[in-house]
């Protein structure tokens, strides 16, 4: 395991499970001091857990201040927290639309906005987690696709705005990943059979492991990726080809 994060401090959202847990563990193992944010308890050895609902501006401000005070700085922000659901668009309530956008897009924005002064001071990096659904059409996921497409656009906007300050901003777009989020998704009834093979991965097995996504995030957040800003890295097994 490389030690690319010795002496650095990372802040990871959604760190209690899935990709976020894998990212927090990977960064810790590479030498980082890691603060993990989640609405659930973060029980990873050596990781400073902070309870935080990313939809709440005041909670985000308090959590980032806690992480910066604990670590003394913030070199990397990894925005991993997310929620999803499947539904026919005509069945999506406004409350569900708001929930999906609030966590996936607004929460990412709030974490970025609040951490940026620390990242500017450290000349650090942001790595956001978007989705294959944010860069191509995705069935029964209008709200999720809109939110993740927004994360891609936000990534590019911040990459341009903060390049003069030495802050890099990139994102990864996973396809199917074996996480509790995926396993807990309820299939849509009355699916159109014409969409059954849409966006199918070309590789076998067609589902990635969280550790594989974590490895890409660890690279993009490290000094080895010095020339990668505004990058949108698809990790979809060829599903988007």
């Amino acid at each position: 395991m490389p030690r690319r994060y010795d002496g650095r401090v990372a802040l990871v959202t959604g760190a209690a499970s899935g990709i976020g847990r894998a990212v927090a563990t990977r960064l810790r193992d590479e030498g980082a001091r890691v603060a993990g944010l989640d609405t659930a308890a973060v029980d990873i050895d050596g990781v400073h857990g902070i309870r935080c609902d990313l939809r709440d501006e005041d909670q985000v401000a308090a959590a980032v201040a806690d992480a910066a005070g604990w670590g003394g700085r913030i070199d990397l922000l990894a925005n991993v927290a997310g929620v999803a659901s499947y539904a026919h668009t005509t069945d999506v309530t406004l409350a569900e639309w708001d929930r999906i956008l609030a966590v996936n897009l607004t929460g990412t924005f709030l974490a970025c906005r609040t951490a940026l002064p620390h990242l500017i001071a450290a000349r650090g990096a942001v790595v956001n987690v978007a989705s294959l659904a944010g860069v191509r059409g995705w069935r029964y996921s209008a709200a999720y696709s809109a939110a993740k497409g927004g994360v891609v656009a936000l990534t590019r906007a911040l990459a341009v705005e903060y390049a003069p300050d030495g802050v890099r901003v990139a994102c990864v777009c996973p396809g199917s990943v074996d996480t509790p989020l995926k396993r807990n998704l309820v299939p849509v009834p009355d699916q159109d059979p014409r969409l059954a093979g849409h966006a199918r991965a070309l590789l076998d097995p067609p589902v990635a492991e969280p550790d594989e996504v974590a490895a890409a995030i660890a690279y993009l957040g490290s000094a080895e990726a010095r020339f990668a800003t505004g990058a949108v890295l698809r990790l979809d097994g060829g599903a988007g080809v």
Side-chain angles (χ1 to χ4, degrees), residues 127-210:
V127 183
N128 296 319
V129 175
S131 170
L132 178 60
V135 293
R136 64 163 299 166
W138 198 261
R139 61 200 183 279
Y140 312 122
S141 300
Y144 184 72
S145 293
K148 291 301 190 178
V151 171
V152 173
L154 175 65
T155 296
R156 288 170 166 155
L158 295 179
V160 171
E161 183 174 353
Y162 289 97
D165 296 301
V167 176
R168 295 184 303 102
V169 188
C171 75
V172 297
C173 294
S176 185
V177 184
D178 185 16
T179 65
L181 177 66
K182 171 181 165 54
R183 293 192 291 271
N184 292 334
L185 283 172
V186 178
V188 172
D190 303 321
Q191 296 188 40
D192 190 324
R194 293 172 297 181
L195 303 180
H198 182 69
R200 187 183 300 277
L202 302 177
L203 301 181
D204 186 25
V207 178
E209 294 297 327

Side-chain angles (χ1 to χ4, degrees), residues 201-224:
L202 302 177
L203 301 181
D204 186 25
V207 178
E209 294 297 327
D211 288 347
E212 295 175 290
V213 182
I217 292 171
Y219 163 70
L220 285 171
S222 76
E224 288 186 338

Side-chain angles (χ1 to χ4, degrees), residues 13-14 36-40 50-64 81 83 98-99 102-104 106-108 110-111:
T13 73
L37 272 58
D38 208 298
T39 54
I50 304 171
R51 292 288 187 111
C52 179
D53 186 335
L54 291 172
R55 298 172 293 181
D56 187 303
E57 184 176 11
D58 292 337
Q59 287 191 40
V60 174
V64 172
V83 294
D98 288 343
R99 181 183 78 94
V103 175
N104 292 294
T106 303
T108 297
L110 288 174

Side-chain angles (χ1 to χ4, degrees), residues 19-77:
I19 296 172
R21 184 180 183 88
V23 171
T25 302
R26 172 74 184 233
L27 296 175
R28 179 206 63 189
D29 291 347
E30 287 207 30
R33 301 188 69 199
V34 181
L37 272 58
D38 208 298
T39 54
V42 178
D43 59 346
I44 306 171
D45 288 344
V47 172
H48 178 59
I50 304 171
R51 292 288 187 111
C52 179
D53 186 335
L54 291 172
R55 298 172 293 181
D56 187 303
E57 184 176 11
D58 292 337
Q59 287 191 40
V60 174
V64 172
D66 184 340
W70 169 79
R73 56 190 291 152
I74 298 175
D75 298 276
L76 171 64
L77 169 63

Side-chain angles (χ1 to χ4, degrees), residues 69-95:
W70 169 79
R73 56 190 291 152
I74 298 175
D75 298 276
L76 171 64
L77 169 63
N79 280 307
V80 188
V83 294
S85 63
Y86 288 141
H88 294 284
T89 300
T90 51
D91 295 332
V92 176
T93 66
L94 182 57

